[in-house]
Amino acid sequence: MGSCGCTKMFHPGMMRVVWTQGHRFVPATTSLLLRPQCRRVETSSLSSFVDLRLPSRLFPVRITTLVPAGYCRQIVSAIGLNEEQAAAVKTEANCVRVLAGPGSGKTLVLTCRIAHLIKKRGVNPSNMLCITFTNKAADELRQRLRKLLGEEISAKLTIGTFHSVCARVLREIATKEEVGVDKDFVIYDEQDAGRVVKAILEEILNNTEGNNSVKEELSSEELGSKKKKKQLSVPTKEVQETLDLIAGLKQFELKNFVLKRSQSSQVLKMPFKYTKIQHLAKRYQSALRTYNAVDFDDLIYLTIRLFYLKNEFWEKYQKRWSYVLADEFQDTDVAQYILVRKLCMNNKNLFVVGDVDQAIYGWRGADYKNMQDLGRHFPELTTLELRRNYRSSQSILTLASEIMNQSSRSNNSLKPLKLEPVKAGGALVTIAHFENSEEEAKYIHNKIRSLISRKQASYNSFGILYRTRNQGQTFERMFIENGIPYSISGATSLLSYKEVKDLRAYLQLVWNLEDGVALERVINTPPRGLGPTTLKNVREWALGRSLSLPQGLRLIIEEQPSHKDLGITAKARKSLLEFSELVSELVELSSSEDFTVGMLVQEILSRTKFLEHLEGSDENGEKRTGHIEEFQVLANKHGCGRPALAMFLESIALNSESEEVGKDGKKLDTVKLSTLHAAKGLEFDNVFISGLEEGTLPHVRGDVDEERRLFYVGVTRARNQLFITHRKQALVPDIGFRQTRVSSFLDLPKKLYKEEWHESDDSWKSSQSGNYRSVAGASR
Ligand SMILES: Nc1ncnc2c1ncn2[C@@H]1O[C@H](COP(=O)(O)OP(=O)(O)OP(=O)(O)O)[C@@H](O)[C@H]1O
């Protein structure tokens, strides 16, 4: 064998099948799983930091234009904390809620609080758990803390998202007996989970024989219509709806479980919609367990379960993490809230930062009322406010505040924050009207060009934000045609390309041979004569023996049944055995201590002739090959052996955020296209918010208060210039292409913005006046 760094070192004769013998994997060590990349960075002096007599010169940050708010700023000049920030950092209270407006320096405060606790209060960094909402935010916090505290101290902190922290816990304590998976579990993302649900639904639909109780869960109309059309596959929308229902049911069950364990007399009654889905959910969970897999929700639920079931587990972790700090607390859901409460139940050392006006994830279960409930569950809670906004000009901030003043703020007992701009004046916000998306995109393109040519901006100082993903396509087209570099966040990330998912599935299977979803994905990719009919017959053969497909395949290798027994051709049988052998050899390679993840990927590519197949697949072959190369760049960052493989798989399962760096690792100078949701935490000098139409923003299916908050989040991303656009004709979600009405969110006092009309038909302009102009003009 060679050593790390060699490109090829596999001698087929040396390693043989392990798969058939029930290979046990080396569990990924937790420290390896979550330890930040070891990279030395310069440490800034702490002495100035810990003395918080204002104005302290403590946190040297350079403000650049492209980066997510506060991301990776370099040290150029020293800035101090304002009084509110310093109060939050220094407070003697242990249980603290910080209500922080947009651009008020949440990350700065969180970072400094951590440093303060360590340096002034002598808290051991190993006892601190810092939970962020995204992986990107976790990285940012880590980088800032390295600069502030140095590598040694910051490496002791646990920083991660709820999901990554719980994955870490489960890798340490999960057992099949208690939670149905062991420590080597794989994490299924939404699409993997969707494949499991789809398979179950299709099995129900296609299995017309016998008294199938599950089938009864689908309404007779649903089933009837499917049968009539002889439709054997279940549409994605239905899969998604089923997944949502299963998620709801699991959350409901968790709540009841916690109530029961807390000896509460209260028992929640199951909503009717869940009773219908119960059996299906059971099948889904049992499929996951057979594959030794968990979905995202499970990561948190199973952790909570273990904490409630076994006191010693809870005690271990509440002792280990006796200080909990959490960012973006308004976006926590019920499970995340339960987990935080459980961890802090005894110690009561909790520091949360959040803003209910920026709560935008209610549609996926987040509940900003958790921010309020803290007061009920922790009577000793101290509440502090951060109101000074450093980001936006006064003009932008006044408009933003007005947007929120018009919100009902129902259900929110917390007093609204009165934002104070640090930057006075500023250009008035522009509201511009266009005929259609093309005209809108042309205008935005011209604005960018003009500012760039006058050297007044770089590409990365522009953010174009929109409500629905398909709005981004017109901008993409315009930029491609005109050579404007752009990147997209919150949309197609590298990991969502089919070819990348296929390659990733090989790695998942190599990590966990029980992974039926990964197996089905790769067994005939690239094609090797194991098409749907062969697979169906093999699956049935396995099912007849009460085995999953992966288990069945292993039995085939052991027992070597004839192709007739299997109901497949002799050629297919040969191919099946060759495939099994390939997987076994890959498993063996992955266990080798000097075989890197990058080498494993290379091995898969060459042994399966993956790239040759891609190149010849269609006209996008070259593009697809490029995606694989990018994936290899990611894989190459990881080390040797199975722990490294686990770490790589975990990082990609939990990190759906798209990359913002080029292959050389440098930040891209690109215009950023982003959905409003994905823009959270970003800031730009110049922001365009597209498509302020009824049905689009507010979205036809959205909760109007939450949609308003989303608009507010978009507006508060802008530093200097803000353009808000409306299209006279546009594709309205769920409704189609049509004449639009200006969004009611633009019913704003006229003095707060200037207006431009870029469409030809003046009669339309007057017909719209009743919509919002008259309201704006008349009332103010
Ligand atoms: N005390 C300060 N002095 C000068 N600039 C500051 C100070 N505090 C924060 N800032 C700057 O204000 C900007 C916003 O800070 P940050 O990104 O931490 O805001 P945030 O509260 O996380 O905002 P949001 O919730 O809107 O994402 C950053 O550019 C940051 O450097």
Side-chain angles (χ1 to χ4, degrees), residues 28-37 171 511 597 637-639 641-654:
T29 63
T30 353
S31 56
L32 263 171
L33 269 173
L34 288 163
R35 197 169 51 205
Q37 297 279 354
R171 295 258 181 243
W511 166 251
V597 178
K637 289 183 188 153
H638 291 261
R642 292 188 72 81
L645 175 60
M647 186 161 83
F648 178 53
L649 286 174
E650 188 142 319
S651 71
I652 56 181
L654 295 177

mmCIF file of all heavy atoms in Angstrom, residues 28-37 171 511 597 637-639 641-654:
data_model
loop_
_atom_site.group_PDB
_atom_site.id
_atom_site.type_symbol
_atom_site.label_atom_id
_atom_site.label_comp_id
_atom_site.label_asym_id
_atom_site.label_seq_id
_atom_site.Cartn_x
_atom_site.Cartn_y
_atom_site.Cartn_z
ATOM 1 N N ALA A 28 -17.020 6.354 13.734
ATOM 2 C CA ALA A 28 -16.332 7.622 13.586
ATOM 3 C C ALA A 28 -16.179 8.258 14.948
ATOM 4 O O ALA A 28 -17.133 8.358 15.684
ATOM 5 C CB ALA A 28 -17.158 8.529 12.703
ATOM 6 N N THR A 29 -14.993 8.651 15.276
ATOM 7 C CA THR A 29 -14.838 9.254 16.597
ATOM 8 C C THR A 29 -15.439 10.643 16.574
ATOM 9 O O THR A 29 -15.339 11.352 15.600
ATOM 10 C CB THR A 29 -13.362 9.365 16.999
ATOM 11 O OG1 THR A 29 -12.758 10.230 16.077
ATOM 12 C CG2 THR A 29 -12.681 8.036 17.026
ATOM 13 N N THR A 30 -16.063 10.983 17.632
ATOM 14 C CA THR A 30 -16.782 12.252 17.644
ATOM 15 C C THR A 30 -15.842 13.420 17.522
ATOM 16 O O THR A 30 -16.139 14.392 16.859
ATOM 17 C CB THR A 30 -17.536 12.404 18.965
ATOM 18 O OG1 THR A 30 -17.422 11.217 19.667
ATOM 19 C CG2 THR A 30 -18.915 12.811 18.740
ATOM 20 N N SER A 31 -14.711 13.307 18.175
ATOM 21 C CA SER A 31 -13.838 14.464 18.125
ATOM 22 C C SER A 31 -13.466 14.739 16.675
ATOM 23 O O SER A 31 -13.399 15.867 16.231
ATOM 24 C CB SER A 31 -12.592 14.205 18.946
ATOM 25 O OG SER A 31 -11.983 13.038 18.475
ATOM 26 N N LEU A 32 -13.263 13.679 15.936
ATOM 27 C CA LEU A 32 -12.917 13.854 14.532
ATOM 28 C C LEU A 32 -14.083 14.416 13.749
ATOM 29 O O LEU A 32 -13.932 15.235 12.862
ATOM 30 C CB LEU A 32 -12.548 12.502 13.925
ATOM 31 C CG LEU A 32 -11.069 12.205 13.880
ATOM 32 C CD1 LEU A 32 -10.848 10.777 13.462
ATOM 33 C CD2 LEU A 32 -10.367 13.162 12.955
ATOM 34 N N LEU A 33 -15.269 13.935 14.128
ATOM 35 C CA LEU A 33 -16.443 14.337 13.365
ATOM 36 C C LEU A 33 -16.688 15.824 13.378
ATOM 37 O O LEU A 33 -17.086 16.398 12.398
ATOM 38 C CB LEU A 33 -17.683 13.649 13.937
ATOM 39 C CG LEU A 33 -17.965 12.340 13.286
ATOM 40 C CD1 LEU A 33 -19.079 11.640 14.014
ATOM 41 C CD2 LEU A 33 -18.336 12.533 11.835
ATOM 42 N N LEU A 34 -16.483 16.417 14.522
ATOM 43 C CA LEU A 34 -16.890 17.817 14.601
ATOM 44 C C LEU A 34 -15.759 18.802 14.826
ATOM 45 O O LEU A 34 -15.987 19.981 14.899
ATOM 46 C CB LEU A 34 -17.946 17.972 15.693
ATOM 47 C CG LEU A 34 -19.252 17.362 15.243
ATOM 48 C CD1 LEU A 34 -20.157 17.147 16.424
ATOM 49 C CD2 LEU A 34 -19.942 18.231 14.222
ATOM 50 N N ARG A 35 -14.557 18.285 14.885
ATOM 51 C CA ARG A 35 -13.464 19.209 15.175
ATOM 52 C C ARG A 35 -13.280 20.157 13.997
ATOM 53 O O ARG A 35 -13.287 19.738 12.857
ATOM 54 C CB ARG A 35 -12.183 18.431 15.415
ATOM 55 C CG ARG A 35 -11.140 19.274 16.118
ATOM 56 C CD ARG A 35 -9.990 18.442 16.576
ATOM 57 N NE ARG A 35 -9.464 17.611 15.519
ATOM 58 C CZ ARG A 35 -8.808 16.495 15.745
ATOM 59 N NH1 ARG A 35 -8.642 16.049 16.940
ATOM 60 N NH2 ARG A 35 -8.326 15.793 14.750
ATOM 61 N N PRO A 36 -13.109 21.454 14.285
ATOM 62 C CA PRO A 36 -12.904 22.355 13.172
ATOM 63 C C PRO A 36 -11.611 22.021 12.436
ATOM 64 O O PRO A 36 -10.707 21.428 13.021
ATOM 65 C CB PRO A 36 -12.797 23.734 13.841
ATOM 66 C CG PRO A 36 -12.979 23.538 15.277
ATOM 67 C CD PRO A 36 -13.020 22.082 15.584
ATOM 68 N N GLN A 37 -11.529 22.374 11.178
ATOM 69 C CA GLN A 37 -10.295 22.165 10.419
ATOM 70 C C GLN A 37 -9.151 22.829 11.167
ATOM 71 O O GLN A 37 -9.270 23.952 11.618
ATOM 72 C CB GLN A 37 -10.412 22.851 9.056
ATOM 73 C CG GLN A 37 -11.497 22.279 8.178
ATOM 74 C CD GLN A 37 -11.030 21.019 7.491
ATOM 75 O OE1 GLN A 37 -9.865 20.649 7.606
ATOM 76 N NE2 GLN A 37 -11.915 20.365 6.795
ATOM 77 N N ARG A 171 -23.652 9.795 17.894
ATOM 78 C CA ARG A 171 -22.479 8.980 17.548
ATOM 79 C C ARG A 171 -21.808 8.447 18.821
ATOM 80 O O ARG A 171 -21.074 7.482 18.796
ATOM 81 C CB ARG A 171 -21.448 9.796 16.770
ATOM 82 C CG ARG A 171 -21.925 10.255 15.414
ATOM 83 C CD ARG A 171 -21.371 9.420 14.275
ATOM 84 N NE ARG A 171 -21.849 9.927 13.013
ATOM 85 C CZ ARG A 171 -22.614 9.248 12.166
ATOM 86 N NH1 ARG A 171 -22.966 8.002 12.427
ATOM 87 N NH2 ARG A 171 -23.017 9.776 11.049
ATOM 88 N N TRP A 511 -19.969 3.374 3.342
ATOM 89 C CA TRP A 511 -19.963 3.622 4.789
ATOM 90 C C TRP A 511 -20.940 2.706 5.511
ATOM 91 O O TRP A 511 -20.666 2.173 6.575
ATOM 92 C CB TRP A 511 -20.297 5.087 5.068
ATOM 93 C CG TRP A 511 -20.641 5.360 6.510
ATOM 94 C CD1 TRP A 511 -21.866 5.655 7.000
ATOM 95 C CD2 TRP A 511 -19.764 5.311 7.633
ATOM 96 N NE1 TRP A 511 -21.814 5.804 8.365
ATOM 97 C CE2 TRP A 511 -20.524 5.595 8.787
ATOM 98 C CE3 TRP A 511 -18.400 5.048 7.780
ATOM 99 C CZ2 TRP A 511 -19.983 5.629 10.056
ATOM 100 C CZ3 TRP A 511 -17.855 5.081 9.063
ATOM 101 C CH2 TRP A 511 -18.640 5.369 10.182
ATOM 102 N N VAL A 597 -10.238 10.020 1.529
ATOM 103 C CA VAL A 597 -11.576 10.067 0.940
ATOM 104 C C VAL A 597 -11.462 10.431 -0.546
ATOM 105 O O VAL A 597 -12.145 9.881 -1.409
ATOM 106 C CB VAL A 597 -12.461 11.095 1.687
ATOM 107 C CG1 VAL A 597 -13.839 11.177 1.050
ATOM 108 C CG2 VAL A 597 -12.583 10.732 3.154
ATOM 109 N N LYS A 637 -10.361 17.439 0.653
ATOM 110 C CA LYS A 637 -10.017 18.157 1.884
ATOM 111 C C LYS A 637 -10.022 17.219 3.091
ATOM 112 O O LYS A 637 -9.685 17.612 4.191
ATOM 113 C CB LYS A 637 -11.030 19.284 2.138
ATOM 114 C CG LYS A 637 -10.901 20.429 1.161
ATOM 115 C CD LYS A 637 -11.872 21.519 1.524
ATOM 116 C CE LYS A 637 -11.905 22.584 0.443
ATOM 117 N NZ LYS A 637 -13.176 23.290 0.388
ATOM 118 N N HIS A 638 -10.485 15.992 2.881
ATOM 119 C CA HIS A 638 -10.618 15.085 4.025
ATOM 120 C C HIS A 638 -9.501 14.043 4.049
ATOM 121 O O HIS A 638 -8.915 13.722 3.038
ATOM 122 C CB HIS A 638 -12.008 14.426 3.993
ATOM 123 C CG HIS A 638 -13.080 15.441 4.290
ATOM 124 N ND1 HIS A 638 -13.647 15.566 5.527
ATOM 125 C CD2 HIS A 638 -13.625 16.405 3.515
ATOM 126 C CE1 HIS A 638 -14.522 16.568 5.494
ATOM 127 N NE2 HIS A 638 -14.532 17.081 4.285
ATOM 128 N N GLY A 639 -9.304 13.515 5.252
ATOM 129 C CA GLY A 639 -8.159 12.634 5.477
ATOM 130 C C GLY A 639 -8.388 11.174 5.123
ATOM 131 O O GLY A 639 -9.131 10.850 4.195
ATOM 132 N N GLY A 641 -9.062 6.913 5.953
ATOM 133 C CA GLY A 641 -9.796 5.933 6.768
ATOM 134 C C GLY A 641 -11.275 6.245 6.932
ATOM 135 O O GLY A 641 -11.772 7.257 6.454
ATOM 136 N N ARG A 642 -11.944 5.354 7.655
ATOM 137 C CA ARG A 642 -13.401 5.470 7.787
ATOM 138 C C ARG A 642 -13.848 6.684 8.614
ATOM 139 O O ARG A 642 -14.852 7.297 8.304
ATOM 140 C CB ARG A 642 -13.984 4.164 8.331
ATOM 141 C CG ARG A 642 -13.850 3.037 7.298
ATOM 142 C CD ARG A 642 -14.572 1.797 7.703
ATOM 143 N NE ARG A 642 -16.018 1.932 7.604
ATOM 144 C CZ ARG A 642 -16.700 1.809 6.473
ATOM 145 N NH1 ARG A 642 -16.071 1.597 5.337
ATOM 146 N NH2 ARG A 642 -18.007 1.905 6.468
ATOM 147 N N PRO A 643 -13.127 7.058 9.667
ATOM 148 C CA PRO A 643 -13.561 8.270 10.377
ATOM 149 C C PRO A 643 -13.613 9.484 9.440
ATOM 150 O O PRO A 643 -14.521 10.300 9.521
ATOM 151 C CB PRO A 643 -12.492 8.449 11.463
ATOM 152 C CG PRO A 643 -11.955 7.087 11.681
ATOM 153 C CD PRO A 643 -11.991 6.404 10.353
ATOM 154 N N ALA A 644 -12.632 9.566 8.548
ATOM 155 C CA ALA A 644 -12.621 10.704 7.612
ATOM 156 C C ALA A 644 -13.806 10.606 6.652
ATOM 157 O O ALA A 644 -14.442 11.612 6.313
ATOM 158 C CB ALA A 644 -11.312 10.727 6.833
ATOM 159 N N LEU A 645 -14.115 9.384 6.246
ATOM 160 C CA LEU A 645 -15.267 9.196 5.348
ATOM 161 C C LEU A 645 -16.551 9.617 6.057
ATOM 162 O O LEU A 645 -17.398 10.324 5.497
ATOM 163 C CB LEU A 645 -15.346 7.724 4.905
ATOM 164 C CG LEU A 645 -16.565 7.340 4.068
ATOM 165 C CD1 LEU A 645 -16.635 8.140 2.773
ATOM 166 C CD2 LEU A 645 -16.551 5.830 3.740
ATOM 167 N N ALA A 646 -16.665 9.218 7.318
ATOM 168 C CA ALA A 646 -17.861 9.588 8.089
ATOM 169 C C ALA A 646 -17.963 11.099 8.221
ATOM 170 O O ALA A 646 -19.025 11.697 8.070
ATOM 171 C CB ALA A 646 -17.803 8.952 9.474
ATOM 172 N N MET A 647 -16.815 11.720 8.471
ATOM 173 C CA MET A 647 -16.814 13.171 8.656
ATOM 174 C C MET A 647 -17.239 13.864 7.361
ATOM 175 O O MET A 647 -18.029 14.814 7.366
ATOM 176 C CB MET A 647 -15.420 13.632 9.071
ATOM 177 C CG MET A 647 -15.371 15.092 9.427
ATOM 178 S SD MET A 647 -13.932 15.489 10.393
ATOM 179 C CE MET A 647 -12.710 15.677 9.147
ATOM 180 N N PHE A 648 -16.748 13.358 6.249
ATOM 181 C CA PHE A 648 -17.096 13.955 4.957
ATOM 182 C C PHE A 648 -18.590 13.798 4.686
ATOM 183 O O PHE A 648 -19.284 14.757 4.331
ATOM 184 C CB PHE A 648 -16.267 13.274 3.860
ATOM 185 C CG PHE A 648 -16.586 13.784 2.471
ATOM 186 C CD1 PHE A 648 -16.557 15.148 2.197
ATOM 187 C CD2 PHE A 648 -16.914 12.906 1.449
ATOM 188 C CE1 PHE A 648 -16.866 15.631 0.926
ATOM 189 C CE2 PHE A 648 -17.222 13.377 0.181
ATOM 190 C CZ PHE A 648 -17.197 14.737 -0.078
ATOM 191 N N LEU A 649 -19.091 12.576 4.899
ATOM 192 C CA LEU A 649 -20.522 12.338 4.625
ATOM 193 C C LEU A 649 -21.391 13.188 5.530
ATOM 194 O O LEU A 649 -22.407 13.738 5.114
ATOM 195 C CB LEU A 649 -20.859 10.853 4.822
ATOM 196 C CG LEU A 649 -20.359 9.933 3.717
ATOM 197 C CD1 LEU A 649 -20.604 8.476 4.076
ATOM 198 C CD2 LEU A 649 -21.020 10.263 2.382
ATOM 199 N N GLU A 650 -20.969 13.311 6.775
ATOM 200 C CA GLU A 650 -21.768 14.103 7.707
ATOM 201 C C GLU A 650 -21.761 15.575 7.305
ATOM 202 O O GLU A 650 -22.786 16.241 7.336
ATOM 203 C CB GLU A 650 -21.212 13.945 9.117
ATOM 204 C CG GLU A 650 -22.104 14.589 10.135
ATOM 205 C CD GLU A 650 -22.174 13.766 11.399
ATOM 206 O OE1 GLU A 650 -22.247 12.525 11.315
ATOM 207 O OE2 GLU A 650 -22.130 14.369 12.465
ATOM 208 N N SER A 651 -20.587 16.041 6.895
ATOM 209 C CA SER A 651 -20.527 17.464 6.552
ATOM 210 C C SER A 651 -21.407 17.745 5.339
ATOM 211 O O SER A 651 -22.060 18.780 5.281
ATOM 212 C CB SER A 651 -19.084 17.921 6.317
ATOM 213 O OG SER A 651 -18.599 17.377 5.114
ATOM 214 N N ILE A 652 -21.467 16.821 4.387
ATOM 215 C CA ILE A 652 -22.315 17.136 3.230
ATOM 216 C C ILE A 652 -23.798 16.865 3.518
ATOM 217 O O ILE A 652 -24.659 17.523 2.975
ATOM 218 C CB ILE A 652 -21.850 16.470 1.907
ATOM 219 C CG1 ILE A 652 -21.738 14.971 2.021
ATOM 220 C CG2 ILE A 652 -20.586 17.062 1.406
ATOM 221 C CD1 ILE A 652 -21.258 14.306 0.754
ATOM 222 N N ALA A 653 -24.075 15.927 4.420
ATOM 223 C CA ALA A 653 -25.496 15.687 4.742
ATOM 224 C C ALA A 653 -26.085 16.870 5.492
ATOM 225 O O ALA A 653 -27.239 17.231 5.292
ATOM 226 C CB ALA A 653 -25.639 14.427 5.586
ATOM 227 N N LEU A 654 -25.291 17.475 6.329
ATOM 228 C CA LEU A 654 -25.827 18.551 7.165
ATOM 229 C C LEU A 654 -25.591 19.925 6.582
ATOM 230 O O LEU A 654 -26.067 20.912 7.091
ATOM 231 C CB LEU A 654 -25.202 18.493 8.563
ATOM 232 C CG LEU A 654 -25.545 17.252 9.375
ATOM 233 C CD1 LEU A 654 -24.823 17.275 10.703
ATOM 234 C CD2 LEU A 654 -27.046 17.145 9.598
#
